[in-house]
Amino acid sequence: MKPEKRIILCLAHMSGNEQKYIKEAFDTNWVVPLGPNVNGFEEDLKRFVASTVPSGRRGESKPEKTDKRDACTVRDFSEEDYPQSIEPHENNPERLWQEGDDRLKDKQVVALASGTAAVHLALIGVGVKAGDEVICQSFTFCASSHPVTYLGATPVFVDSERDTWNMDPELLETAIKDRMKKTGKKPKAIIVVHLYGMPAKMSEIMAVADKYGIPIVEDAAEGLGSRYDGRACGTFGQYGVLSFNGNKMITTSGGGALVCPDEAARDNIMFYATQAREGYPYYQHEKIGYNYRLSNICAGIGRGQLTVLDEHVAHHRRLAKLYAKAFKTIDGITFHDNPSPLSDSNFWLNTITIDPDVKVKGMENAYNTVVKSAVGGAAGVIHYVDKARTDCEPNDNVEAMRVWLDQANVESRPLWKPMHKQPCYATAPSYTNGVSESLFKVGLCLPSGPLVTEEDAAFIVSKIKEAIG
């Protein structure tokens, strides 16, 4: 039976604690891009990114159970009934994540207007300037690479490996060597992404970056709550990018944050995020700054949202286990799961690949019509196009599956189209191995958020079976 309400990829879910902080901001007239909520949100995030996990937790979708009164570590509620499992088990974010990793004790966090702003400021933080080159993961959303161009620098795209779908460490080194040979200088930075929450191979990537002395900007916009070898994603690079867009693991409506290596770096990022004003009794500007700080209202939403962050992560992982089990029995459909014990994805979006030879109902009509609104979420205004096909697109059976699910009131969307195949980057250097293009042709994202129930997941699987039956 077709669901009454549309099953969305990842829709915001409120904890009930947000209103307290919003009301407090209005009552005290802190309706500006600074204030107690911003300060508190940054401190809460600082504890989270340094938080530890229970023993035996790594690489498993269901962690060890912990007493709900134990606020020292990341908690798990995956065995509780829904929706209790996504409700807050601690209403005060200051009580959460009290035990941290000593390696991360110097990390600082700056709350910002978006994850894109965080990428932009991170690049400034590592010294990227006009004429520089920045190595970027090709298989990602455009916000990972666009800020490179804001600074007049050139993105150099590097393809993925098949295990995690993230930047290939071997190809990364090939690209660095070739750029040094061709330009006579090293790339200024490396932007690595944790695609759909799946941790990249950080040990290998860090080894390459360290070998050549190139700083890493770690884009964990999709990876809040993901861990690599037990450590929070976003804490490996010199800077780590977080996103709180409306469809992420938690939301501030729109917003992001930048994890900084220390207080000095934080102060520098804060300077640029607040219009780069010098310390005179009047407004003097010697550098170009930006209006990138998060509002006190949005930060209040964020503080309330943090009380369900662990719950949201547990729910995404619970759905991942259900999907993984179900698709094992369906020929031609493969679920993208943690590839090793080091990887512990938040499964922000659960993803599948569909073999090219799988027949899907409606394939003969794939791409017959253009879309009139953005596929896969509210993306604002899109330009009208007179044809739906390009030289790099998902296979007909993937598009047919998307349309089939859409007709059943289920939102799905293709994987990100690789940046080296985007027309706006037609002249950018790229180092490819065919992995991201091949995955783009066969991949599909499925509903995964906290408002997706186990019954919804079962319905989605049933509709996929029906489409290929």
Side-chain angles (χ1 to χ4, degrees):
M1 181 183 296
K2 186 175 180 178
E4 293 183 9
K5 291 185 178 180
R6 187 165 176 80
I7 304 175
I8 303 295
L9 281 169
C10 189
L11 193 63
H13 160 256
M14 297 294 103
S15 71
N17 291 317
E18 294 83 5
Q19 288 289 352
K20 167 190 171 183
Y21 297 102
I22 296 171
K23 183 178 185 301
E24 186 178 272
F26 276 96
D27 289 347
T28 56
N29 205 31
W30 279 105
V31 190
V32 287
L34 76 164
N37 284 338
V38 176
N39 297 340
F41 188 45
E42 290 172 338
E43 288 299 312
D44 297 337
L45 286 170
K46 187 166 73 170
R47 288 195 312 276
F48 176 77
V49 298
S51 62
T52 57
V53 293
S55 61
R57 170 69 173 78
R58 300 176 187 181
E60 299 176 5
S61 293
K62 187 179 77 173
E64 284 187 357
K65 294 293 291 179
T66 56
D67 191 298
K68 68 179 182 180
R69 295 167 297 179
D70 177 10
C72 291
T73 59
V74 174
R75 305 153 301 147
D76 169 59
F77 314 102
S78 59
E79 292 181 6
E80 294 185 3
D81 293 335
Y82 185 90
Q84 180 189 1
S85 58
I86 62 167
E87 294 172 354
H89 292 68
E90 170 55 61
N91 293 317
N92 182 0
E94 294 178 11
R95 281 184 43 80
L96 298 173
W97 313 303
Q98 293 297 316
E99 185 176 297
D101 187 330
D102 287 341
R103 295 172 297 177
L104 307 175
K105 64 180 185 303
D106 292 330
K107 296 285 187 181
Q108 303 290 322
V109 178
V110 179
L112 299 166
S114 68
T116 310
V119 175
H120 188 184
L121 292 178
L123 293 172
I124 292 173
V126 299
V128 173
K129 293 182 172 58
D132 288 334
E133 290 188 341
V134 175
I135 290 184
C136 303
Q137 183 166 313
S138 183
F139 202 16
T140 184
F141 181 56
C142 62
S144 301
S145 56
H146 281 0
V148 175
T149 69
Y150 302 169
L151 294 168
T154 300
V156 175
F157 294 110
V158 171
D159 216 326
S160 297
E161 37 79 13
R162 289 195 176 275
D163 294 338
T164 73
W165 299 3
N166 294 306
M167 186 180 286
D168 184 328
E170 293 182 5
L171 197 56
L172 168 62
E173 183 162 24
T174 298
I176 292 171
K177 289 179 177 179
D178 193 55
R179 298 323 296 168
M180 291 171 65
K181 180 180 178 181
K182 288 179 176 175
T183 69
K185 62 179 184 178
K186 296 184 297 186
K188 197 71 175 183
I190 299 166
I191 301 175
V192 62
V193 182
H194 303 297
L195 194 70
Y196 301 118
M198 186 62 70
K201 293 183 176 180
M202 291 310 300
S203 293
E204 297 171 45
I205 291 170
M206 292 292 292
V208 174
D210 291 345
K211 179 178 178 179
Y212 294 94
I214 303 174
I216 284 181
V217 173
E218 190 184 353
D219 185 350
E222 299 171 6
L224 184 66
S226 296
R227 292 180 180 268
Y228 179 82
D229 198 17
R231 179 170 162 178
C233 290
T235 64
F236 291 87
Q238 186 165 334
Y239 290 93
V241 174
L242 306 177
S243 173
F244 312 116
N245 194 23
N247 66 349
K248 292 301 193 298
M249 298 301 292
I250 62 168
T251 186
T252 56
S253 177
L258 189 61
V259 182
C260 304
D262 51 40
E263 290 185 3
R266 177 201 62 191
D267 292 347
N268 186 50
I269 295 299
M270 199 91 75
F271 169 74
Y272 280 101
T274 52
Q275 300 288 23
R277 180 186 174 187
E278 301 294 335
Y280 296 91
Y282 43 85
Y283 283 83
Q284 175 146 322
H285 303 277
E286 298 172 9
K287 299 181 184 298
I288 301 297
Y290 307 90
N291 185 18
Y292 276 169
R293 283 291 266 160
L294 186 67
S295 85
N296 198 52
I297 301 297
C298 290
I301 299 173
R303 295 208 75 190
Q305 282 281 281
L306 284 171
T307 64
V308 287
L309 174 54
D310 287 343
E311 288 83 347
H312 285 183
V313 172
H315 182 68
H316 281 251
R317 288 174 172 154
R318 172 66 177 163
L319 289 178
K321 289 194 70 175
L322 296 176
Y323 280 134
K325 182 179 179 180
F327 289 123
K328 280 182 179 179
T329 65
I330 304 177
D331 291 339
I333 307 288
T334 303
F335 178 77
H336 189 218
D337 210 342
N338 287 316
S340 83
L342 292 175
S343 302
D344 199 6
S345 178
N346 63 9
F347 294 101
W348 169 57
L349 291 183
N350 288 287
T351 55
I352 58 172
T353 56
I354 305 174
D355 289 354
D357 59 354
V358 171
K359 303 299 181 184
V360 176
K361 293 175 181 176
M363 281 177 59
E364 66 279 5
N365 298 316
Y367 298 110
N368 278 358
T369 58
V370 298
V371 298
K372 294 182 173 60
S373 61
V375 174
V381 176
I382 61 171
H383 282 176
Y384 174 80
V385 294
D386 57 8
K387 60 179 181 179
R389 289 196 177 274
T390 66
D391 65 347
C392 180
E393 63 190 19
N395 292 336
D396 286 0
N397 62 351
V398 174
E399 171 62 4
M401 184 66 77
R402 183 193 68 78
V403 172
W404 178 269
L405 291 173
D406 183 63
Q407 292 170 347
N409 222 9
V410 175
E411 181 185 34
S412 65
R413 74 175 177 206
L415 304 184
W416 301 125
K417 184 170 183 173
M419 290 299 105
H420 72 270
K421 295 299 292 183
Q422 296 288 357
C424 62
Y425 290 123
T427 61
S430 62
Y431 295 80
T432 63
N433 54 17
V435 171
S436 62
E437 289 181 54
S438 65
L439 288 169
F440 174 60
K441 291 178 181 179
V442 299
L444 195 67
C445 301
L446 300 179
S448 308
L451 297 185
V452 179
T453 67
E454 294 181 21
E455 290 76 17
D456 290 336
F459 174 78
I460 292 164
V461 172
S462 72
K463 295 305 294 184
I464 290 173
K465 287 181 177 179
E466 187 179 314
I468 62 179

